[in-house]
Amino acid sequence: TTKQLQAQDIQVAILDSTTNDSLSRLHLSPRIASYDIDLQLDTASKKVNAKEILYWRNPSADTIRELQFHLYYNAFKNNKTTFMRDSDFPSFLTNGEDKGEKWSWLEVSEIRDTFGNDLTPMMEYIQPDDGNEFDETVLKVKLAVPVLPYQSTQIHLNWQSKIPNIAPRTGYNKEYYFMVQWFPKVGV
């Protein structure tokens, strides 16, 4: 059918863009981060357990001594996060919040670098926008081995998340999952 042909054409174009150097130069921005994520979705508890490998390239002439990760699900961790405090949610998004039923979170339990160094003790939540101590959406990790200019590294993370029940740009409703910005993403 036409739809199948369109889908096949799109798939071919995507494959070609990853293997053809002339097509890969068409990107509007440099590709400096990519991810391999092995995950299990627990539909009963609405949780994700995952192992993630971040492949990151330092695109600058600076030596990088720390990385920062965006943990989007932590925006819905409680009613004191910057996002929740500054938002005016419709009641259907906040029903049950007093019981903690619909809150979400993302917790990194372990993080290691390319060399096997345990960076877990070097993790700290920061609040660069407003100093809100209840906001845990940005995780700073000091690196044991800095990333030199134009060099690359791999960061291995183990993490678990609780999926929110219908939140902006993400969540679940019964057996339907809409998951956007659901994993620790490096700030690039």
Side-chain angles (χ1 to χ4, degrees):
T1 68
T2 304
K3 288 183 181 178
Q4 288 174 334
L5 290 175
Q6 288 175 343
Q8 289 173 351
D9 290 344
I10 291 169
Q11 187 175 19
V12 169
I14 290 170
L15 290 174
D16 284 348
S17 73
T18 61
T19 58
N20 185 327
D21 286 338
S22 63
L23 287 175
S24 66
R25 287 191 295 259
L26 296 176
H27 295 300
L28 297 178
S29 62
R31 302 297 179 228
I32 63 172
S34 64
Y35 304 85
D36 278 335
I37 302 175
D38 179 24
L39 67 90
Q40 294 80 42
L41 171 62
D42 181 341
T43 57
S45 66
K46 308 297 190 225
K47 291 182 181 174
V48 171
N49 293 294
K51 294 180 184 229
E52 172 182 328
I53 302 173
L54 162 66
Y55 301 92
W56 185 77
R57 184 177 56 82
N58 177 0
S60 74
D62 299 323
T63 297
I64 303 301
R65 301 181 190 291
E66 68 180 43
L67 291 175
Q68 295 179 10
F69 292 85
H70 186 178
L71 309 180
Y72 182 71
Y73 275 9
N74 285 350
F76 310 107
K77 193 171 190 175
N78 57 56
N79 63 0
K80 296 178 182 177
T81 68
T82 299
F83 186 82
M84 293 300 289
R85 187 186 63 201
D86 295 346
S87 298
D88 185 25
F89 282 100
S91 63
F92 76 89
L93 291 177
T94 57
N95 287 340
E97 69 184 24
D98 294 334
K99 299 176 192 171
E101 295 170 358
K102 298 184 180 187
W103 295 123
S104 70
W105 42 262
L106 193 153
E107 293 178 359
V108 175
S109 58
E110 182 181 32
I111 185 166
R112 294 186 176 276
D113 66 13
T114 303
F115 309 101
N117 294 311
D118 185 4
L119 306 177
T120 311
M122 300 179 209
M123 297 187 314
E124 116 181 69
Y125 292 107
I126 61 171
Q127 302 77 24
D129 295 328
D130 63 1
N132 178 357
E133 65 181 310
F134 299 106
D135 192 286
E136 297 180 349
T137 56
V138 180
L139 180 68
K140 178 174 82 171
V141 180
K142 292 183 183 176
L143 300 174
V145 178
V147 183
L148 299 177
Y150 312 107
Q151 298 301 306
S152 298
T153 191
Q154 292 180 20
I155 303 294
H156 300 255
L157 302 98
N158 292 338
W159 55 269
Q160 183 181 59
S161 66
K162 168 75 171 70
I163 303 164
N165 179 266
I166 307 177
R169 297 182 302 211
T170 194
Y172 72 90
N173 183 12
K174 299 178 185 171
E175 297 304 314
Y176 174 78
Y177 293 85
F178 179 68
M179 297 172 61
V180 177
Q181 301 186 48
W182 54 275
F183 60 94
K185 292 183 357 183
V186 69
V188 291

